[in-house]
Amino acid sequence: MKSIFFIDLDNTIYFTKPNANILMDDLYALLDDLDLGISEEDYEKAKKEMLRIPFLKLAEKYGFKAEAVERAVEYLANREVTKPLISSEDYQYIKALEGRKFIVTAGFPKQQRSKVKMLGIADDFEEVVVVDVTASDKKAAFISLIAKYNLNREEILIIGDDADSEIKFGLELGIETFLLDPDELHLASETTYRGINLRKLANAAGQANI
């Protein structure tokens, strides 16, 4: 049975799309005024993908101009979310898990911590770890948490939507993973468990009969 959970924030605990007006409108307004160096068609594609892909990864994918990326990063690094966010309907399955729970999220620290606050979920977790995307990655955060709390890797389940981040790093560390893939975009990606929702999360954790 799993009793320790490392859980992603964006598009796992909550989804960006239902909260898009709060999270994206100001960023879109900023980007509209910048010379990104890409076509209008690619910009519209990028805006849609921005709902599920971290900004720096997206900027690299589409080849945003360095000056524009610098301006956007400066904005994101200092932004705080100040309006309530809506958690996922499936958050109930995370909340129902018995054990120690840690949020491990990558992004800009001030912004990510304000999201947790505006979701009203901070008390559900032992610690919120924000990985500064400009300096580190989630693999290092997992290793640090395991060492800090002397955790047994066999008791850990990593839950998230990014096959190339928390899921990949978890498997590399010998930790079981649950890939949340509602749009089935990562069917070829390796993971211990997967689902289009979190309804079978308790089964994956070995807690279905608790």
Side-chain angles (χ1 to χ4, degrees), residues 33-145:
D33 289 337
L34 297 177
D35 178 11
L36 300 177
I38 63 174
S39 69
E40 188 63 31
E41 182 181 358
D42 279 349
Y43 179 44
E44 290 305 316
K45 290 180 182 178
K47 284 169 72 174
K48 291 179 181 178
E49 291 186 40
M50 217 174 289
L51 295 172
R52 60 179 178 82
I53 298 177
F55 177 78
L56 288 175
K57 284 186 179 180
L58 194 83
E60 182 178 1
K61 176 181 177 179
Y62 281 92
F64 290 1
K65 283 187 176 181
E67 296 86 349
V69 173
E70 186 176 340
R71 285 279 307 279
V73 166
E74 181 182 4
Y75 164 75
L76 291 168
N78 290 286
R79 179 173 76 159
E80 288 187 86
V81 178
T82 58
K83 296 180 181 178
L85 298 174
I86 304 168
S87 59
S88 161
E89 289 183 4
D90 282 356
Y91 182 62
Q92 61 181 306
Y93 301 112
I94 292 174
K95 195 166 182 176
L97 292 170
E98 297 286 342
R100 306 173 70 180
K101 301 169 196 172
F102 303 83
I103 289 177
V104 183
T105 178
F108 300 94
K110 184 181 292 187
Q111 177 177 248
Q112 294 304 94
R113 292 189 184 281
S114 69
K115 289 178 185 177
V116 174
K117 181 180 179 181
M118 289 297 102
L119 284 162
I121 59 171
D123 290 343
D124 294 339
F125 298 90
E126 188 166 337
E127 185 175 343
V128 176
V129 177
V130 181
V131 179
D132 186 339
V133 291
T134 64
S136 187
D137 59 34
K138 287 187 180 179
K139 187 173 185 177
F142 294 154
I143 292 171
S144 178
L145 272 175

Side-chain angles (χ1 to χ4, degrees), residues 2 5 89-94 96-97 157-159 176-181 184 192-209:
K2 304 302 181 184
F5 304 95
E89 289 183 4
D90 282 356
Y91 182 62
Q92 61 181 306
Y93 301 112
I94 292 174
L97 292 170
L157 181 65
I158 294 174
I159 305 161
E176 292 192 351
T177 60
F178 188 106
L179 173 60
L180 175 61
D181 189 12
E184 298 188 315
T192 316
Y193 308 97
R194 71 173 69 241
I196 60 172
N197 52 51
L198 297 177
R199 292 173 190 170
K200 294 186 177 179
L201 189 56
N203 296 77
Q207 296 189 12
N209 298 318

